[in-house]
């Protein structure tokens, strides 16, 4: 009987803790008058943004590794071409399936750097990520504000902890992907949608929400997957449906879309409907499948689970306990629709990762118990429950090493080699470069920042099925490819390749008077086809 009574008491305590967490925003709003609360929130938001900005700047400076080609080739390389007049534009820009809206942000940064005479290799590589860290800090702040509007301060701070501690956010959010900026815009936009929040301290602005959603779609057309869900939810819940459609969605959407079209018209030199071209290639023709496909369940069983990592059980528990189905439904909606597409990548679902981390924050808040423990007038040290201490220790001890290893160690060779070549080029020791590796495996002119002849192996998709591109031809038979390639080449002063291909081509390189001058560590384990343990630089003898 005593055990049964104790179990009932424990269950009642757990239920009371959950009720206190979910009602924390209501209790907080009753303490002070609105004007005092608004001033305090402004002060707190400024402090939070300052902390997040400092954290993300350090985060950006710690990134030393290569993740995906689009970080350089679809943003910085395009911006470098705009400002300095040289830089490679990939086939996507010839097909008109990319908007200049995202690269032009970094073009403005390059323009300022050039004007100040700071366009050195260090600033050219670090400044774009530092700028992205500012955007990332804005995203962190709005994750906090969104969590506060939904669940109150008690959950918001643990949601922010989850965001800052998650290894994949650390690894990816300060990189210059369009997905990174899309993620920030998603957090800001969700905060302003009336259907997503129930804030008692700030009235959501649906017009601002629509502007932000339109900009996100301009930067990445696939962002429409998120905003279709939110828009339909708003349409279902709002009372003024006709006003919403005809006086807000259509005018604001048309205005923003028109401005984006004008930007692309100025940059392309002709009228281009990027979203339409993007839709045709990636959805109607499955063009993205050219770069590889995964099973339909990949995001659920591998992709998104790896991104969440040890936050997975906390996220699931938070979804169940919070019962905020409209927000968890957005995660399911995005993962479900992206699962239909054959070509899948981690970064595609980055915008819903912070949402999942909000639910992780909810779980941690439940562990801590009612926020009445945190009496602001009391200076006594707050005692955290042992289960909360263990959870924090577990999350930090698993995510920090993972984040640092992926950011500082894994696949750093292709970044290091371009920094090295850039410095060598400044001292006029490099005349031309040949990259004998899978296409887009390194940064390009945006990192080299010298207008020298460079050549990489092309992998543009062919309109004819069954045609093997240069990159794949080389990887399948390095010696055979180079025997043909060298018949018509202009011999470069430097050749860059991975260790796996170096073993096959060592005799060829020696026979053409090349010698090894530098070797950079790249990875401890297999990447793509083979173990790309190091990146090797060969120089022509006497160059």
């Amino acid at each position: 009987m005593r055990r049964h009574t104790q179990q009932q008491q424990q269950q009642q305590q757990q239920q009371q803790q959950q009720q206190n967490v979910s009602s924390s925003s209501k209790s907080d709003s009753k303490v002070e008058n609105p004007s005092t609360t608004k001033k305090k929130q402004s002060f707190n938001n400024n402090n939070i943004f300052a902390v997040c900005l400092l954290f993300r700047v350090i985060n950006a400076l710690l990134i030393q590794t290569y993740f995906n080609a689009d970080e350089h080739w679809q943003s910085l390389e395009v911006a470098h071409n705009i400002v300095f007049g040289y830089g490679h534009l990939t086939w996507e820009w010839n097909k008109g399936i990319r908007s200049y809206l995202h690269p032009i942000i970094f073009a403005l940064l390059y323009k300022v750097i050039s004007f100040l005479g700071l366009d050195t290799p260090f600033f050219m590589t670090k400044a774009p990520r530092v700028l992205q860290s500012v955007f990332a800090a804005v995203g962190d702040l709005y994750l906090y504000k969104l969590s506060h509007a939904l669940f109150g301060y008690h959950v918001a701070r643990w949601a922010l902890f989850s965001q800052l501690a998650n290894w994949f956010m650390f690894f990816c959010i300060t990189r210059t992907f369009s997905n990174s900026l899309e993620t920030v815009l998603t957090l800001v936009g969700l905060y302003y949608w009336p259907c997503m929040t129930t804030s008692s301290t700030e009235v959501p602005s649906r017009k601002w929400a629509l502007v932000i959603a339109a900009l996100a779609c301009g930067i990445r057309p696939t962002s429409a997957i998120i905003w279709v869900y939110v828009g339909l939810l708003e349409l279902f819940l709002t009372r003024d449906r006709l006003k919403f459609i005809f006086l807000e969605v259509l005018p604001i959407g048309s205005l923003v879309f028109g401005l984006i079209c004008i930007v692309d018209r100025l940059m392309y030199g002709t009228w281009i409907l990027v979203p339409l071209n993007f839709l045709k290639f990636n959805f109607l023709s499955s063009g993205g499948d050219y770069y590889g496909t995964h099973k339909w369940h990949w995001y659920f069983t591998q992709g998104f689970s790896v991104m969440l990592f040890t936050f997975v059980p906390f996220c699931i528990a938070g979804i169940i306990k919070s019962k905020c189905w409209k927000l968890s439904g957005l995660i399911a909606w995005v993962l479900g629709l992206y699962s239909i597409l054959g070509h899948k990548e981690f970064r595609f679902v980055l915008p819903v990762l912070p949402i999942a981390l909000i639910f992780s924050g909810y779980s941690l808040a439940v562990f801590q118990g009612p926020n009445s423990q945190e009496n602001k007038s009391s200076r006594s040290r707050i005692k955290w429950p042992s289960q909360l201490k263990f959870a924090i220790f577990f999350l930090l001890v698993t995510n920090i090493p993972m984040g640092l290893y992926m950011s500082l160690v894994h696949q750093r060779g292709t970044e290091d080699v371009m920094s090295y070549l850039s410095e060598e080029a400044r001292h006029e020791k490099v005349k031309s470069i040949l990259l004998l590796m899978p296409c887009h495996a390194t940064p390009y002119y945006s990192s080299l920042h010298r207008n020298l002849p460079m050549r990489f192996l092309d992998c543009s998709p062919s309109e004819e099925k069954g045609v093997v591109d240069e990159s794949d031809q080389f990887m399948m038979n390095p010696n055979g490819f180079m025997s043909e390639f060298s018949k018509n080449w202009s011999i470069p002063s430097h050749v860059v390749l991975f260790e796996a291909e170096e073993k096959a081509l060592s005799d060829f390189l020696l026979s053409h008077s090349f010698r090894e001058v530098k070797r950079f560590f790249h990875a401890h384990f297999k990447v793509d086809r083979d173990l790309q343990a190091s990146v090797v630089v060969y120089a022509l003898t006497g160059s």
Side-chain angles (χ1 to χ4, degrees):
M1 287 293 290
R2 289 181 179 177
R3 289 182 180 178
H4 182 69
T5 304
Q6 290 176 352
Q7 289 176 354
Q8 285 182 335
Q9 290 177 347
Q10 289 176 354
Q11 290 175 356
Q12 289 175 356
Q13 289 176 355
Q14 290 176 354
Q15 291 175 356
Q16 184 64 33
Q17 287 177 356
Q18 294 177 24
Q19 290 174 0
N20 286 328
V21 168
S22 61
S23 62
S24 61
S25 60
K26 294 181 181 178
S27 60
D28 288 346
S29 64
K30 295 178 182 178
V31 175
E32 301 177 30
N33 62 63
S35 60
T36 306
T37 303
K38 191 171 183 179
K39 289 179 181 178
K40 184 169 287 187
Q41 279 189 337
S42 177
F43 176 76
N44 288 338
N45 289 342
N46 290 337
N47 286 348
I48 289 167
F49 178 72
V51 171
C52 291
L53 180 59
L54 177 62
F55 179 86
R56 290 304 179 195
V57 169
I58 296 171
N59 182 178
L61 295 175
L62 285 175
I63 300 294
Q64 307 287 332
T65 56
Y66 195 85
F67 176 32
N68 183 277
D70 282 11
E71 178 184 3
H72 300 281
W73 292 78
Q74 302 299 347
S75 56
L76 302 185
E77 193 69 15
V78 182
H80 194 278
N81 182 277
I82 294 171
V83 176
F84 299 103
Y86 62 98
H88 184 81
L89 299 182
T90 60
W91 63 270
E92 290 98 327
W93 299 93
N94 295 325
K95 294 281 188 180
I97 65 173
R98 298 277 185 178
S99 173
Y100 276 91
L101 187 61
H102 183 239
I104 210 168
I105 296 170
F106 299 102
L108 293 172
L109 174 65
Y110 281 155
K111 199 71 176 177
V112 172
I113 290 175
S114 177
F115 177 77
L116 296 175
L118 297 175
D119 53 329
T120 62
F122 177 82
F123 280 100
M124 292 298 293
T125 54
K126 299 299 182 184
R129 283 177 178 164
V130 171
L131 176 60
Q132 178 59 38
S133 72
V134 177
F135 299 143
V138 173
D140 295 335
L141 172 62
Y142 272 87
L143 173 128
Y144 175 86
K145 294 177 71 173
L146 177 62
S147 306
H148 188 280
L150 287 168
F151 305 116
Y153 164 78
H154 194 46
V155 172
R157 61 180 191 160
W158 288 114
L160 183 60
F161 163 80
S162 300
Q163 170 93 338
L164 299 180
N166 177 257
W167 81 271
F168 195 85
M169 290 300 296
F170 186 90
F171 173 64
C172 190
I173 195 63
T174 59
R175 295 179 184 269
T176 54
F177 292 116
S178 58
N179 310 86
S180 300
L181 187 54
E182 178 196 8
T183 302
V184 173
L185 292 173
T186 298
L187 288 169
V188 177
L190 288 176
Y191 175 74
Y192 287 112
W193 277 96
C195 65
M196 301 304 294
T197 61
T198 54
S199 177
S200 59
T201 58
E202 185 171 340
V203 179
S205 173
R206 199 161 63 187
K207 293 179 181 178
W208 271 115
L210 284 166
V211 170
I212 294 165
L215 286 173
C217 293
I219 290 171
R220 277 198 71 81
T222 49
S223 187
I225 292 174
I226 293 173
W227 302 115
V228 164
Y229 174 94
V230 177
L232 290 175
L233 184 62
E234 179 69 21
L235 186 64
F236 177 75
L237 295 176
T238 189
R239 295 180 180 179
D240 49 353
R241 292 185 175 88
L242 292 178
K243 176 187 174 184
F244 173 58
I245 296 172
F246 294 104
L247 297 182
E248 295 180 7
V249 174
L250 292 178
I252 293 174
S254 300
L255 178 61
V256 176
F257 180 72
L259 292 174
I260 293 171
C261 286
I262 291 172
V263 170
D264 288 330
R265 168 66 178 83
L266 293 172
M267 302 308 299
Y268 275 107
T270 185
W271 289 106
I272 294 284
L273 291 177
V274 171
L276 181 60
N277 294 334
F278 189 93
L279 178 67
K280 286 180 179 178
F281 180 81
N282 287 287
F283 291 89
L284 302 182
S285 67
S286 299
D289 294 357
Y290 179 81
Y291 293 104
T293 59
H294 292 87
K295 296 289 182 65
W296 68 267
H297 54 74
W298 184 80
Y299 282 121
F300 295 95
T301 57
Q302 297 179 54
F304 200 62
S305 301
V306 169
M307 293 164 70
L308 274 172
F309 198 39
T310 50
F311 282 93
V312 168
F314 300 93
C315 172
I316 295 174
I319 290 173
I320 296 171
K321 292 179 179 180
S322 69
K323 298 180 181 179
C324 186
W325 306 121
K326 59 186 177 183
L327 205 58
S328 57
L330 176 58
I331 300 174
W333 167 268
V334 170
L335 295 181
L337 287 188
Y338 271 111
S339 295
I340 297 173
L341 302 178
H343 182 59
K344 299 175 177 65
E345 294 187 32
F346 293 103
R347 59 193 177 90
F348 289 172
V349 294
L350 181 64
V352 293
L353 178 59
I355 300 172
L357 294 172
I358 290 176
F359 290 113
S360 299
Y362 191 97
S363 291
L364 294 174
V366 170
F367 279 148
Q368 185 175 3
N371 63 351
S372 59
Q373 290 180 5
E374 305 199 29
N375 187 355
K376 296 179 182 178
S377 62
S378 175
R379 296 186 179 181
S380 60
R381 188 174 178 180
I382 299 167
K383 293 184 178 180
W384 287 350
S386 56
Q387 58 183 359
L388 178 62
K389 292 179 181 178
F390 175 78
I392 293 171
F393 174 78
F394 172 69
L395 290 171
L396 292 178
V397 82
T398 51
N399 280 270
I400 290 177
M402 182 74 160
L404 292 177
Y405 177 79
M406 295 299 292
S407 301
L408 291 168
V409 181
H410 182 61
Q411 295 193 109
R412 68 169 296 148
T414 51
E415 295 269 341
D416 290 339
V417 72
M418 292 309 294
S419 297
Y420 165 77
L421 290 171
S422 179
E423 286 294 338
E424 291 291 288
R426 287 185 70 195
H427 297 92
E428 299 183 354
K429 295 180 180 180
V430 179
K431 295 180 175 62
S432 58
I433 302 169
L434 174 62
L435 302 172
L436 291 178
M437 43 192 14
C439 67
H440 309 142
T442 68
Y444 213 50
Y445 283 110
S446 61
S447 290
L448 187 72
H449 195 50
R450 285 292 179 275
N451 195 6
L452 301 173
M454 277 206 291
R455 175 77 157 83
F456 68 95
L457 303 180
D458 186 53
C459 60
S460 302
S462 174
E463 295 182 0
E464 299 179 16
K465 291 185 177 181
V467 176
V468 181
D469 59 50
E470 270 190 344
S471 181
D472 284 339
Q473 289 178 38
F474 172 76
M475 297 303 292
M476 290 187 293
N477 184 7
N479 274 303
F481 178 85
M482 288 307 299
S483 296
E484 291 296 319
F485 184 80
S486 61
K487 291 178 181 179
N488 300 309
W489 72 348
S490 177
I491 193 163
S493 67
H494 289 72
V495 174
V496 181
L497 69 170
F498 284 117
E499 181 183 329
E501 286 67 51
E502 179 211 11
K503 293 176 181 177
L505 291 174
S506 57
D507 292 338
F508 172 88
L509 292 169
L510 291 173
S511 67
H512 285 78
S513 302
F514 285 97
R515 62 182 177 85
E516 180 184 333
V517 293
K518 198 72 175 178
R519 185 178 293 264
F520 298 93
F521 166 80
H522 187 61
H524 285 116
F525 49 89
K526 182 177 178 180
V527 180
D528 295 328
R529 297 174 176 85
D530 299 299
L531 173 60
Q532 299 167 344
S534 59
V535 177
V536 191
V537 181
Y538 276 76
L540 191 64
T541 303
S543 63

